[in-house]
Amino acid sequence: MQQNNGLDRNQIILFMLFSLIMMGAMFYFQPAPEEPAATTAQVPQTATSATPAAMTNLNDSLKTAAISQVELKNKELRLVISTLGGQISTVELNEYKAYNKETDTNDKNLLLFDKNNSAYGFRFKDKTGKLLNTRDLVFTPKQNGNSVTMQAGINGAVIQFIYTLQDKYTVDFNVKTQGLSKLVSGQNAEFIWDHSARQMEKGRSQEQTHTEFNYAFDNYGSFDYDGRTTMEETEETLNWIAIKQQFFTAVLEPQSGFTNSFGSQESIEEGEFLKKFSFSAQTAMSGGEFNQNFKWYFMPLDLNLLKDYGKNFDELLPLGWSFIGTMNRWFFMPMYNIIAGWGLTAGWVIFLMTIIVKLILSPIMFKQHKLSAMMRVIRPEIDEVNAKHKGGDAMKKQQEVMAVYRKAGVNQMAGCLPALVQIPIFYALFRFFPNFIDLRGQSFWFAKDLTAYDDVIKLPFNLPVFGWDHISIFALACTVVILIYTVMTSGNIQQPQQEGMPNMKVLMYIFPITFFFFLNTSSSGLSWYYFVSNALNIFIILAIKYLILDEKKIHAQIQENKTKAPKPEGKFQKRMREMMEQAQEQQKQQQKQTGKKK
């Protein structure tokens, strides 16, 4: 794997010698002083370097050796291109701001590249086996509007990097060489990209989770990502490679694709940066020359913008796979946009979204709560069966319990349907709230950003293991209402009848508390949604119990069902009964065999 280790000792010595020769030549051939001509080709000379490691090993006098910068700017982007390596050294998204810890708001310039956190270039092997790296070259700039040509010479060969800033967060990056075929061997150039992803958002752990490699292949038809330590694609030709963060990304698209791609990533636990990435791949040369067109994209993860490119960029937005992603794209996002179009703030939009989802699920929820009421009515008979078989044949007891349910017309499996329906909704929203850029920076009550946690309650210490220094009010409120809802719905849960079996009621009470540990560092929009959802559940239960369902009528219906012929068993019920009978028969056979041995 290609690692971002900066410059080694030999490279530093060569660079220092090169810099000293350049300084001597500049001094010896310095022309007589004259009035400087007006130009936009470059700004006053400033110190830059290819990598942070190089800067820490060079003294101040060497930093200024023939290095300058060129600026390109449009509505969306501001780029600074350094003559050292001919690289883009600064990328600023003009229409967005980054999180500022000191002010607890998004008011810092949003810089994807800056302070040498990103370095890239091409590496060639010459005919003697030595490596030539464009990151070590000093280029000469020539600017024409929002296009600049960076040119460098190396042993008689000429290398040009031509950057053209276009609209929609796009930068054309064309590479041309002349005479390179006399120096190099092989038919491929190696592209090297080292990048340290800077923290942009308030929730560090959440943003770090969403910071990863993304790439497309199969002529843009397939997509994959890698959030682990390494990536290796030796058989696929990558159509583009991206280093994606929570809401922003840098993408490089080569005209002829990347082959033999390798990447590594390493999490950074604290400080300005989240992760350290290193990527290397090969791209084709022709006849010993390297003439290749690339495109850089520095863009926000806005779904409509990403889809406009038609290059599978919309997969960069982590909305979930298959049905989950479809639900977010075609249901939750359009719903949010329609309601937000009414002029409501983001928090109230989420409130109305919750009500709409509840209304859609109301028929299923009604059946669930009706089943709950029916089970309360037949609870005395269930308790009677449990008491009858206490300490006895557990299989026989279970059969009689199922018979009580069957005679009463109660289908236990019907209670599983609402839970199954809500699982994909939960996961879709888990993906939606932290990654929907329209919520980024939107405040609501004490939450300053609904895509991050609220931290009004500050702790005077960091909580061990978790590393928290705050308590989220939204997460706390959500945990309380889930506990209340659990107390109200746990009455139908049977206590364990055998020793060693877990107490399900205790487990149900533990779940909301453990859920708090998840929500405390998650999107406050997600916590707000589940607070409203569970508060509505409580009101629905009360309304059904006291205004809609009459337990006396339900009891009468159950008694009437007992006098009727039982309904035919469903396939699942029949299968369960047969399995229990088989298990009971096997148990009897085992007991007989045990008796014979004695």
Side-chain angles (χ1 to χ4, degrees), residues 260-289:
N260 203 30
S261 301
F262 293 87
S264 65
Q265 51 191 302
E266 178 186 349
S267 295
I268 301 172
E269 297 307 320
E270 58 183 17
E272 184 180 1
F273 299 103
L274 300 168
K275 275 187 178 181
K276 181 180 178 181
F277 292 86
S278 185
F279 174 79
S280 67
Q282 293 182 345
T283 185
M285 299 175 65
S286 178
E289 298 294 337

Side-chain angles (χ1 to χ4, degrees), residues 115-373:
K115 297 180 181 177
N116 308 303
N117 73 307
S118 197
Y120 62 88
F122 301 92
R123 195 159 59 184
F124 310 92
K125 184 178 290 187
D126 70 11
K127 294 180 179 179
T128 66
K130 294 181 180 179
L131 294 177
L132 307 176
N133 197 332
T134 62
R135 280 160 51 164
D136 298 332
L137 303 178
V138 176
F139 287 70
T140 301
K142 183 178 181 181
Q143 186 173 4
N144 182 14
N146 260 0
S147 180
V148 61
T149 299
M150 310 292 288
Q151 181 169 307
I154 177 171
N155 297 336
V158 175
I159 299 176
Q160 287 185 338
F161 290 172
I162 304 170
Y163 295 94
T164 303
L165 179 57
Q166 298 183 335
D167 294 332
K168 290 180 62 176
Y169 305 96
T170 306
V171 184
D172 277 346
F173 172 38
N174 299 329
V175 182
K176 297 180 179 180
T177 68
Q178 185 176 356
L180 193 64
S181 59
K182 298 177 182 179
L183 302 178
V184 303
S185 60
Q187 295 300 313
N188 292 295
E190 185 180 16
F191 175 74
I192 307 292
W193 183 16
D194 296 319
H195 180 82
S196 293
R198 177 177 285 105
Q199 183 178 351
M200 305 286 186
E201 314 302 327
K202 181 175 183 176
R204 181 183 181 88
S205 61
Q206 183 173 254
E207 185 181 11
Q208 194 174 55
T209 299
H210 291 291
T211 301
E212 60 196 7
F213 280 121
N214 285 221
Y215 48 95
F217 50 97
D218 287 341
N219 196 26
Y220 303 95
S222 299
F223 169 86
D224 206 350
Y225 67 95
D226 200 312
R228 302 186 300 274
T229 56
T230 60
M231 65 162 285
E232 184 175 338
E233 291 291 347
T234 57
E235 298 180 1
E236 303 290 351
T237 297
L238 304 192
N239 302 119
W240 50 258
I241 179 71
I243 294 178
K244 180 196 73 69
Q245 296 184 228
Q246 188 174 353
F247 292 111
F248 304 96
T249 186
V251 183
L252 182 60
E253 177 191 18
Q255 179 186 18
S256 62
F258 285 129
T259 58
N260 203 30
S261 301
F262 293 87
S264 65
Q265 51 191 302
E266 178 186 349
S267 295
I268 301 172
E269 297 307 320
E270 58 183 17
E272 184 180 1
F273 299 103
L274 300 168
K275 275 187 178 181
K276 181 180 178 181
F277 292 86
S278 185
F279 174 79
S280 67
Q282 293 182 345
T283 185
M285 299 175 65
S286 178
E289 298 294 337
F290 186 47
N291 296 300
Q292 180 77 269
N293 296 330
F294 299 81
K295 285 185 184 293
W296 278 106
Y297 302 89
F298 305 105
M299 53 190 174
L301 297 181
D302 178 274
L303 182 61
N304 292 329
L305 172 70
L306 298 174
K307 290 172 68 175
D308 284 346
Y309 289 103
K311 298 182 178 182
N312 217 9
F313 284 161
D314 55 308
E315 293 289 350
L316 286 163
L317 195 55
L319 297 176
W321 293 98
S322 188
F323 177 69
I324 302 300
T326 300
M327 190 184 305
N328 276 322
R329 284 177 169 85
W330 298 103
F331 181 66
F332 285 114
M333 282 188 172
M335 185 197 304
Y336 179 93
N337 291 329
I338 290 170
I339 300 174
W342 302 344
L344 298 175
T345 60
W348 292 116
V349 173
I350 295 172
F351 179 84
L352 291 180
M353 285 176 64
T354 314
I355 293 176
I356 292 171
V357 172
K358 285 296 178 187
L359 289 174
I360 294 172
L361 296 177
S362 58
I364 298 174
M365 298 295 294
F366 178 78
K367 287 184 179 181
Q368 181 188 29
H369 292 303
K370 183 178 180 180
L371 174 65
S372 179

Side-chain angles (χ1 to χ4, degrees), residues 2 8 111 155 223 231 273 341 427 462 547:
Q2 181 72 23
D8 60 27
L111 300 163
N155 297 336
F223 169 86
M231 65 162 285
F273 299 103
Y427 191 70
N462 281 353
L547 301 176

Side-chain angles (χ1 to χ4, degrees), residues 301-475:
L301 297 181
D302 178 274
L303 182 61
N304 292 329
L305 172 70
L306 298 174
K307 290 172 68 175
D308 284 346
Y309 289 103
K311 298 182 178 182
N312 217 9
F313 284 161
D314 55 308
E315 293 289 350
L316 286 163
L317 195 55
L319 297 176
W321 293 98
S322 188
F323 177 69
I324 302 300
T326 300
M327 190 184 305
N328 276 322
R329 284 177 169 85
W330 298 103
F331 181 66
F332 285 114
M333 282 188 172
M335 185 197 304
Y336 179 93
N337 291 329
I338 290 170
I339 300 174
W342 302 344
L344 298 175
T345 60
W348 292 116
V349 173
I350 295 172
F351 179 84
L352 291 180
M353 285 176 64
T354 314
I355 293 176
I356 292 171
V357 172
K358 285 296 178 187
L359 289 174
I360 294 172
L361 296 177
S362 58
I364 298 174
M365 298 295 294
F366 178 78
K367 287 184 179 181
Q368 181 188 29
H369 292 303
K370 183 178 180 180
L371 174 65
S372 179
M374 294 176 74
M375 292 185 71
R376 280 198 301 272
V377 172
I378 64 172
R379 172 48 58 85
E381 297 182 44
I382 299 296
D383 291 341
E384 184 179 337
V385 172
N386 289 331
K388 176 182 175 182
H389 294 279
K390 187 175 182 180
D393 190 338
M395 194 72 68
K396 185 69 175 176
K397 181 193 72 173
Q398 188 63 28
Q399 286 180 328
E400 289 194 24
V401 169
M402 291 182 67
V404 172
Y405 285 136
R406 190 165 57 251
K407 289 178 181 179
V410 175
N411 183 1
Q412 284 182 291
M413 296 306 299
C416 299
L417 182 60
L420 293 175
V421 169
Q422 292 183 72
I423 288 173
I425 293 176
F426 169 81
Y427 191 70
L429 292 170
F430 169 72
R431 288 286 191 171
F432 173 79
F433 285 109
N435 297 297
F436 187 39
I437 198 168
D438 288 13
L439 286 172
R440 183 180 185 268
Q442 296 293 320
S443 61
F444 183 65
W445 291 347
F446 34 77
K448 294 184 178 181
D449 186 342
L450 285 169
T451 64
Y453 56 83
D454 67 272
D455 56 355
V456 177
I457 303 176
K458 301 281 189 180
L459 298 178
F461 55 87
N462 281 353
L463 195 66
V465 180
F466 300 100
W468 298 344
D469 61 356
H470 71 279
I471 297 294
S472 166
I473 296 179
F474 271 130

Side-chain angles (χ1 to χ4, degrees), residues 453-454 459 463 468-473 475-476 515-523 527:
Y453 56 83
D454 67 272
L459 298 178
L463 195 66
W468 298 344
D469 61 356
H470 71 279
I471 297 294
S472 166
I473 296 179
L476 192 62
F515 199 50
F516 167 78
F517 289 91
F518 163 74
L519 290 175
N520 196 53
T521 55
S522 298
S523 161
S527 299

